[in-house]
Amino acid sequence: MRPAAKIGLATVAFALLHSALASDRCKRLAGALVGERRRDAGYRMFYVCQSVATFGLLIAYGARLPARTLYRLHGPVALAMRAGQAAGLAHIVVAARQVGISRLAGLDNLRAGLRGDAMPAGPVAQGPERGADGRLTITGPFLWSRHPLNFSGIPIFWLTPHMTTRRLTFNLLSTAYFVLGSMHEEARLKAAYGGDYRDYTGSATPFFWPRRPAVEWSWHQAGARS
């Protein structure tokens, strides 16, 4: 089997595992096995940890496969591309802080479980969350794209000065997964937030590819409606 096909199958396997563990069915199974409170306390942390671990294994496996170079850039162009990758990483951090890094990582739920406190609601998806006033908090990167965390992988993966056949296969499949995953997240967010999120999808904020928001949509900063 060719290296591009191998990394392609490995990437698909990672995506299927990632999606399966994010499903409500898997979460219900975890609740049946360990109890709902323990599930609520630790599942998000488990999910994040396994995502990091399995992605690391995927990258390590791909790095061992032979690959043919498609292009290799040097000089100012390569530096500009590296800067774009750095901007993608910074974008992830900014978007994650908007949702709440400790909330996304599952730390809030884990602390509540260890302390015996009331269990906070975990994130519905990697999208905007309700603030203390009950309204969706739509600011920062969420004014430019409805799925900024998923989009952030695009510049990180594609703005590489060294493109190989192996990396091209991985990038194509990952991009498709980012877009399809965003569509799935959007369905979950609509089901959770109803009219508030539908107002958001009907706004000037694009679905995936970022675009500078128009001034008239600054009302998102306070939430569309209660």
Side-chain angles (χ1 to χ4, degrees):
M1 184 181 295
R2 294 183 177 182
K6 290 181 178 179
I7 192 62
L9 289 174
T11 303
V12 170
F14 168 80
L16 291 175
L17 176 64
H18 192 76
S19 297
L21 291 176
S23 68
D24 291 336
R25 182 177 182 180
C26 195
K27 292 175 184 177
R28 288 195 297 269
L29 177 60
L33 290 174
V34 302
E36 292 189 3
R37 181 171 175 83
R38 289 181 179 175
R39 183 272 315 275
D40 293 343
Y43 194 85
R44 182 70 189 181
M45 177 67 75
F46 158 76
Y47 180 76
V48 171
C49 289
Q50 69 79 28
S51 295
V52 172
T54 52
F55 184 73
L57 290 173
L58 174 62
I59 297 302
Y61 171 71
R64 297 178 62 182
L65 296 174
R68 178 168 58 89
T69 294
L70 298 175
Y71 62 79
R72 187 191 296 270
L73 303 175
H74 302 279
V77 175
L79 289 175
M81 295 178 77
R82 292 300 187 192
Q85 290 180 312
L89 288 171
H91 192 259
I92 289 179
V93 175
V94 173
R97 288 185 64 184
Q98 187 65 54
V99 179
I101 293 178
S102 61
R103 188 175 189 182
L104 279 175
L107 290 173
D108 290 352
N109 288 61
L110 184 61
R111 280 194 293 261
L114 293 174
R115 295 173 180 174
D117 297 337
M119 192 65 60
V124 175
Q126 295 183 154
E129 299 287 336
R130 291 195 188 278
D133 59 358
R135 297 176 175 179
L136 288 182
T137 303
I138 302 172
T139 59
F142 288 95
L143 285 171
W144 295 65
S145 167
R146 298 203 298 273
H147 299 278
L149 282 164
N150 289 339
F151 167 77
S152 295
I154 302 300
I156 294 172
F157 292 161
W158 284 101
L159 293 180
T160 173
H162 182 203
M163 181 63 70
T164 65
T165 51
R166 180 188 64 215
R167 186 168 295 171
L168 177 62
T169 301
F170 171 78
N171 285 3
L172 288 170
L173 290 171
S174 297
T175 299
Y177 182 64
F178 285 140
V179 175
L180 293 174
S182 296
M183 294 171 65
H184 179 63
E185 283 186 355
E186 193 125 293
R188 292 168 60 191
L189 289 162
K190 285 180 180 178
Y193 298 138
D196 281 353
Y197 196 82
R198 283 191 292 272
D199 286 345
Y200 180 40
T201 62
S203 73
T205 304
F207 164 70
F208 189 77
W209 303 101
R211 182 177 65 242
R212 184 175 181 178
V215 175
E216 59 265 25
W217 291 106
S218 62
W219 58 270
H220 278 313
Q221 296 178 7
R225 63 186 185 186
S226 60

